[in-house]
Amino acid sequence: MLRKHITFVVHGGRADRPDLRQTVLWVRDRGHAVEVRTTWSVGDAAAHAAEAADRGTDVVIACGGDGTLNEVVNGLDGRDTPLGVIPLGTANDFARQTGIPEEADHAMDVILRRNPVRIDTASMNGRRFLNVSTGGVGAEATQETPADAKASLGPLAYAITAVRKFAEDKVRHATFTSEGFGLDVDFLTFAVGSARVTGGGTMMTPDASVTDGLLDLCVIEAMSRSAFARLSLAVKKGEHLGLPGVHYAQLPWLKVVGAEPLSVNLDGEGVEAQICDYRARRSDLLVHVHHLPGEEPGVDFAR
């Protein structure tokens, strides 16, 4: 077996997990050169990833949730070092749709036994994201969901907060423009996907592909609570395309301009911007996955 230089970038709140520690020890016992870098504040994961890549590590492994993963992806920007994922967060949206197991040792098997594949990412105002960016109710719910609620309820916590945000009846207005596309609308939520799933399994951009070099845009217009309640079940399953109040397009780039600053989420990381410049970035990331989103899963990797 080829010995590798492996760098684990571990969210500080997950560093004491016995399963992760056991996995790191197991990898060392197999003869791999292992470094562990722990994060304590915002920006640490990106800095650790960039430093490891510049030193020539063979793979950088993001150990945490989608927020940690997003930072590592940004740290690897401009560097062709493969990414690995050990999902330890609440939603783990990217891991779920690419077949990466929740168990740390089985996720490690994917990294050691699967060659990395090249996939698209996207960016908003220059910040890279791997999965989906949301705006409006969805983004606000993600940002305002308490950590203790996420720990106890998991992805359900996001849905509870979203219901509360919807009850505020706040009007959100924006223009969405791209090549051959224009939309000026009051909206509840929008999603820009390089991949398909956000918010703990909601398929806002169900036709997105990580290999087509395009962004998938979904905008849901402002509507009554009862209408949105009926629509939300279809959105969860990715069966909302073509329904009243839903706009969907596949675009090489997108500019979103809000009537006022917008709450926007990038793979779980919240920002505020009145102008959002989205770009598709074709084939610019190497990553170890079990399968690509939308593909049939292959064999399992339990040892």
Side-chain angles (χ1 to χ4, degrees):
M1 180 185 65
L2 180 65
R3 307 303 183 196
K4 293 186 176 183
H5 182 182
I6 298 172
T7 302
F8 292 83
V9 177
V10 182
H11 186 287
R14 307 290 189 268
D16 60 350
R17 285 184 50 147
D19 57 341
L20 179 60
R21 293 190 174 204
Q22 182 179 357
T23 297
V24 171
L25 291 174
W26 177 82
V27 173
R28 279 197 175 116
D29 288 344
R30 295 195 68 178
H32 298 289
V34 172
E35 295 182 68
V36 179
R37 297 287 181 265
T38 304
T39 69
W40 300 113
S41 61
V42 174
D44 283 355
H48 290 323
E51 179 187 12
D54 290 344
R55 285 188 285 104
T57 194
D58 291 312
V59 58
V60 175
I61 303 175
C63 305
D66 288 316
T68 300
L69 178 57
N70 178 265
E71 276 207 27
V72 170
V73 166
N74 277 278
L76 294 177
D77 195 4
R79 301 163 174 90
D80 216 24
T81 302
L83 167 72
V85 182
I86 293 181
L88 305 176
T90 302
N92 301 315
D93 285 315
F94 181 76
R96 288 175 186 271
Q97 64 188 311
T98 54
I100 298 172
E102 293 183 358
E103 299 84 359
D105 57 344
H106 293 173
M108 193 69 223
D109 276 337
V110 172
I111 297 164
L112 293 177
R113 298 176 61 183
R114 288 276 187 183
N115 291 326
V117 296
R118 193 169 290 279
I119 67 170
D120 302 340
T121 66
S123 66
M124 193 280 283
N125 294 354
R127 181 173 180 86
R128 206 180 190 197
F129 64 94
L130 181 61
N131 195 43
V132 179
S133 171
T134 58
V137 171
E140 293 162 9
T142 301
Q143 293 177 37
E144 297 180 23
T145 300
D148 56 351
K150 290 191 286 185
S152 60
L153 299 175
L156 178 61
Y158 295 118
I160 293 172
T161 306
V163 170
R164 180 175 59 80
K165 292 299 299 181
F166 186 78
E168 294 179 0
D169 286 331
K170 178 181 178 182
V171 176
R172 302 163 183 84
H173 188 92
T175 60
F176 301 80
T177 57
S178 183
E179 183 179 325
F181 178 85
L183 180 66
D184 188 344
V185 68
D186 290 338
F187 71 95
L188 279 176
T189 189
F190 71 85
V192 181
S194 180
R196 300 182 173 196
V197 179
T198 187
T202 300
M203 295 188 69
M204 284 274 301
T205 52
D207 287 351
S209 167
V210 294
T211 58
D212 66 356
L214 296 172
L215 303 170
D216 278 41
L217 169 67
C218 178
V219 181
I220 296 178
E221 293 183 8
M223 60 182 65
S224 69
R225 296 181 191 180
S226 58
F228 183 70
R230 292 190 295 271
L231 179 63
S232 61
L233 293 177
V235 173
K236 180 73 175 177
K237 299 176 183 178
E239 298 174 350
H240 54 295
L241 305 193
L243 295 181
V246 177
H247 303 268
Y248 199 89
Q250 293 179 311
L251 310 165
W253 57 270
L254 173 70
K255 186 175 184 179
V256 183
V257 180
E260 58 185 38
L262 302 169
S263 293
V264 181
N265 179 283
L266 307 171
D267 291 342
E269 296 298 289
V271 298
E272 191 172 88
Q274 191 158 358
I275 299 175
C276 303
D277 183 8
Y278 288 97
R279 301 284 164 169
R281 300 175 51 155
R282 182 185 284 274
S283 301
D284 75 336
L285 180 70
L286 282 168
V287 59
H288 295 271
V289 295
H290 190 276
H291 57 83
L292 295 177
E295 289 187 351
E296 289 298 320
V299 298
D300 290 331
F301 281 113
R303 281 200 305 273

